[in-house]
């Protein structure tokens, strides 16, 4: 009998974070606060309860970091270069989706200066991954083979440099956008507000995840996917690479979304919009249950709670299904060929996410906990239950025919 492993993040931890996020958003709405204030409340009230919960539950004692200030300063220089280089790439090649990081360049510089100051006066307070980054680059420059842990640390910071600025920019954009429409009274305004708030929570939890790799809450990165296919399939979904892949090659948007085809307040509009919100809610839930451990391309513990009890990739499944309902690529085309091409383009996007799912499984299968989880899902997940139901009906049908 397959065993369901305990989730790396307790449901209570993510629950406290979700409650804090809702309180933060509620305060922003009730007091009509500025978008930056609402975003700060959302982030703080989501992150702090989860950090406290994880710190108390894990009772981790990582010990003091015994390295020199010089080693830490080298690591800080590497981290600073990674973040500034990533943000500059977004500003040059990331189009509108990546351009949102422009307002984060100065805060990023200030954060890196604070890291440098800490490296000078109290290096023991820094994460061990920072001096490890310096050692990695130093080993490469000298033509030596870096230590495995230094490789993991460096690649972990590359992941954070790529995704953290985007998540910060996008979460703020969703909060600001929701605040502009949440006073509307028609169904489309309600729908837009709900969708914006769900995506705001999703990207906020992703932001917290990338910021929460401290050993003190046992959130450190255990391993990073080191395959080209894993990285390319993930990066293809985010700017700047998505500007080429999704906005140039796989264009599935017709310029008209589902709201253009249904009357506001009609039964069809309520059902269609409700289905989109339901799929997006499950997708957001799949991010929330990671608590402070969400991040792409990394292994930071196996999550088995929430929608991950139903299947291994609920977020990808619900996100891709919602895009079919939102952008209706089969409608709004001048010719049948245009409709076919738009549908094929969205199927291409779905295929990229299928590759991401496959590469993530390949990466995580080195952990026996994940193998146990995959075996449990194979026997108890939604697809397994559906197969059992269909098989049972087929057997029952044959029994009636025989009678």
């Amino acid at each position: 009998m397959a065993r369901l492993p305990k989730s790396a993040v307790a449901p209570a931890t993510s629950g406290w974070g979700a409650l804090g996020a809702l309180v933060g958003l509620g305060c922003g709405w009730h007091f009509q606060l500025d978008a930056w204030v609402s975003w700060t409340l959302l982030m703080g009230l989501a992150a702090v309860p989860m950090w406290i919960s994880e710190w108390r539950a894990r009772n981790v004692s990582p010990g003091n970091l015994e390295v020199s200030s010089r080693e830490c300063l080298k690591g800080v220089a590497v981290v600073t270069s990674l973040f500034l280089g990533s943000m500059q790439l977004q500003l040059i090649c990331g189009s509108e989706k990546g351009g949102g990081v422009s307002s984060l360049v100065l805060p990023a510089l200030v954060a890196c200066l604070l890291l440098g100051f800490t490296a000078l006066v109290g290096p023991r307070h820094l994460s061990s991954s920072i001096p490890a980054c310096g050692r990695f680059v130093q080993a490469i420059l000298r033509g030596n083979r870096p230590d495995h842990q230094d490789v993991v640390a460096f690649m972990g910071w590359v992941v954070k440099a790529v995704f953290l600025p985007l998540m910060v920019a996008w979460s703020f954009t969703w909060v600001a956008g929701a605040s502009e429409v949440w006073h509307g009274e028609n169904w489309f305004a309600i729908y837009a507000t709900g969708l914006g708030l769900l995506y705001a929570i999703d990207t906020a939890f992703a932001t917290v995840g990338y910021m929460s790799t401290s050993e003190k809450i046992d959130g450190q990165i255990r391993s990073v996917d080191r395959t080209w296919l894993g990285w390319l399939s993930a990066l293809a979904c985010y700017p700047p690479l998505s500007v080429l892949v999704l906005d140039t090659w796989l264009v599935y948007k017709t310029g008209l979304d589902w709201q253009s085809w249904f009357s506001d307040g009609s039964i069809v509009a309520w059902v269609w919009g409700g289905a989109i919100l339901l799929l997006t809610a499950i997708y957001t839930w799949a991010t929330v249950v990671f608590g402070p451990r969400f991040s792409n391309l990394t292994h930071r513990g196996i999550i088995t709670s929430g929608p991950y009890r139903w299947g291994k990739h609920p977020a990808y499944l619900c996100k891709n299904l919602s895009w079919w309902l939102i952008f209706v690529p089969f409608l709004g085309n001048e010719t049948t060929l245009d409709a076919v091409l738009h549908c094929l383009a969205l199927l291409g996007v779905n295929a990229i996410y299928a590759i991401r799912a496959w590469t993530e499984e390949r990466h995580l299968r080195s952990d026996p906990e994940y193998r146990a989880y995959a075996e449990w899902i194979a026997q108890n997940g939604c697809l397994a239950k559906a197969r059992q139901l269909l098989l049972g009906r087929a057997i029952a049908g044959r029994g009636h025919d025989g009678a």
Side-chain angles (χ1 to χ4, degrees), residues 103-120:
S103 61
L104 303 176
V105 175
L106 182 58
L109 278 172
V110 172
C112 291
L113 286 174
L114 289 175
L115 281 178
F117 179 76
T118 305
L120 283 173

Side-chain angles (χ1 to χ4, degrees), residues 200-256:
I201 293 173
D202 166 66
T203 48
F205 270 77
T207 301
V208 172
Y210 287 112
M211 294 192 303
S212 305
T213 56
S214 171
E215 297 95 334
K216 294 181 179 180
I217 58 172
D218 200 27
Q220 68 273 14
I221 295 173
R222 277 73 166 168
S223 64
V224 181
D225 191 330
R226 298 173 68 172
T227 65
W228 282 104
L229 186 59
W231 277 81
L232 284 175
S233 60
L235 293 177
C237 302
Y238 298 87
L241 189 56
S242 67
V243 174
L244 180 64
V245 177
L246 304 184
D247 299 338
T248 305
W249 295 344
L250 299 176
V251 179
Y252 57 87
K253 301 175 184 178
T254 64
L256 300 173

Side-chain angles (χ1 to χ4, degrees), residues 76-358:
V76 171
V78 173
V79 169
T80 302
S81 300
L82 289 175
F83 271 91
L84 294 183
S86 173
M87 295 170 76
Q88 186 64 28
L89 187 63
Q90 293 290 358
L91 294 175
I92 296 173
C93 307
S95 188
E96 183 180 355
K97 292 180 180 178
V101 304
S102 60
S103 61
L104 303 176
V105 175
L106 182 58
L109 278 172
V110 172
C112 291
L113 286 174
L114 289 175
L115 281 178
F117 179 76
T118 305
L120 283 173
V121 301
R124 64 189 182 88
H125 297 296
L126 293 177
S127 166
S128 60
S129 64
I130 292 179
C133 278
R135 292 195 299 269
F136 172 86
V137 172
Q138 190 172 23
I140 294 296
L141 293 176
R142 291 177 176 177
N144 299 326
R145 186 183 182 89
D147 180 76
H148 172 72
Q149 291 302 320
D150 293 347
V151 174
V152 172
F154 177 79
M155 294 186 71
W157 277 103
V158 171
V159 168
K160 287 193 278 189
V162 170
F163 294 108
L164 178 56
L166 287 174
M167 293 301 106
V168 172
W170 290 354
S171 61
F172 172 74
T173 299
W174 282 113
V175 170
S179 67
E180 293 176 1
V181 299
W182 62 16
H183 297 293
E185 297 180 356
N186 60 36
W187 165 233
F188 287 156
I190 295 172
Y191 159 80
T193 300
L195 194 69
L197 293 178
L198 286 170
Y199 275 121
I201 293 173
D202 166 66
T203 48
F205 270 77
T207 301
V208 172
Y210 287 112
M211 294 192 303
S212 305
T213 56
S214 171
E215 297 95 334
K216 294 181 179 180
I217 58 172
D218 200 27
Q220 68 273 14
I221 295 173
R222 277 73 166 168
S223 64
V224 181
D225 191 330
R226 298 173 68 172
T227 65
W228 282 104
L229 186 59
W231 277 81
L232 284 175
S233 60
L235 293 177
C237 302
Y238 298 87
L241 189 56
S242 67
V243 174
L244 180 64
V245 177
L246 304 184
D247 299 338
T248 305
W249 295 344
L250 299 176
V251 179
Y252 57 87
K253 301 175 184 178
T254 64
L256 300 173
D257 62 17
W258 72 276
Q259 298 176 63
S260 303
W261 298 98
F262 304 119
S263 299
D264 182 25
S266 67
I267 295 177
V268 176
W270 276 94
V271 172
W272 200 277
I276 294 171
L277 290 177
L278 176 61
L279 289 169
T280 307
I282 297 173
Y283 161 68
T284 301
W285 183 20
T287 302
V288 168
V289 295
F290 273 87
R293 295 202 191 190
F294 178 89
S295 60
N296 286 312
L297 297 165
T298 62
H299 172 24
R300 298 170 61 190
I302 307 302
I303 303 300
T304 63
S305 61
Y308 290 95
R309 291 179 66 94
W310 308 339
K312 291 180 285 187
H313 303 286
Y316 291 166
L317 177 62
C318 290
K319 178 190 284 189
N320 281 268
L321 287 176
S322 73
W323 287 338
W324 281 94
L325 296 181
I326 293 171
F327 298 109
V328 287
F330 39 85
L331 296 177
N333 299 279
E334 294 184 0
T335 66
T336 302
L337 178 60
D338 288 337
V340 171
L341 291 176
H342 284 132
C343 288
L344 288 175
L346 186 48
L347 285 172
V349 176
N350 301 156
I352 291 175
Y353 275 86
I355 294 171
R356 287 184 68 180
W358 180 77

